[in-house]
Amino acid sequence: MFNGEILSYVISESPNLKKVMDMLNQLYDNIESTEGMLMHSDLGIMKSELLYANKYTSVESFITDLKEYMVYYNNERIKLRLNGMSPVLYRKAFEQTHSI
């Protein structure tokens, strides 16, 4: 979105079309229009899995940390570009002033 908020994501142990479709369906269930949205699929973990191999002892612990980070990323992370607000706070302020 315009505020850098992540609206939908799916975690999978392997890349596959079903997970992509699950993520898109989750997105479409929660928003009215995708006009102007940026879709991004991150395969970065495949490139840097050696960096994570020493930190995580299981896929479950990685997923737990990733979910916690997603909450932080959308709700707590302050962005100067968003007038010092988190992405969610900025979207809510925008919705209030623009009667969305």
Side-chain angles (χ1 to χ4, degrees):
M1 280 186 75
F2 64 97
N3 61 346
E5 181 179 356
I6 295 174
L7 299 175
S8 176
Y9 70 95
V10 174
I11 303 168
S12 175
E13 291 184 38
S14 63
N16 59 63
L17 182 59
K18 182 184 181 323
K19 291 298 180 183
V20 173
M21 297 307 296
D22 288 348
M23 181 188 64
L24 291 174
N25 288 331
Q26 179 186 30
L27 174 68
Y28 296 140
D29 288 344
N30 293 317
I31 61 161
E32 294 180 20
S33 172
T34 58
E35 183 177 343
M37 284 193 182
L38 173 68
M39 303 284 184
H40 176 70
S41 178
D42 187 6
L43 298 177
I45 187 66
M46 295 173 77
K47 296 176 185 173
S48 60
E49 73 180 56
L50 291 176
L51 295 174
Y52 296 101
N54 293 330
K55 180 175 180 177
Y56 294 102
T57 56
S58 69
V59 171
E60 292 79 17
S61 63
F62 173 75
I63 290 172
T64 297
D65 280 359
L66 183 59
K67 287 179 178 180
E68 289 174 6
Y69 181 75
M70 295 303 291
V71 170
Y72 162 79
Y73 189 90
N74 279 338
N75 296 286
E76 300 168 24
R77 176 181 56 109
I78 302 303
K79 294 187 73 166
L80 294 178
R81 163 177 90 75
L82 301 177
N83 298 326
M85 291 185 250
S86 71
V88 169
L89 286 177
Y90 187 83
R91 175 181 42 83
K92 289 179 179 181
F94 180 87
E95 289 171 347
Q96 286 180 341
T97 59
H98 292 85
S99 301
I100 294 178

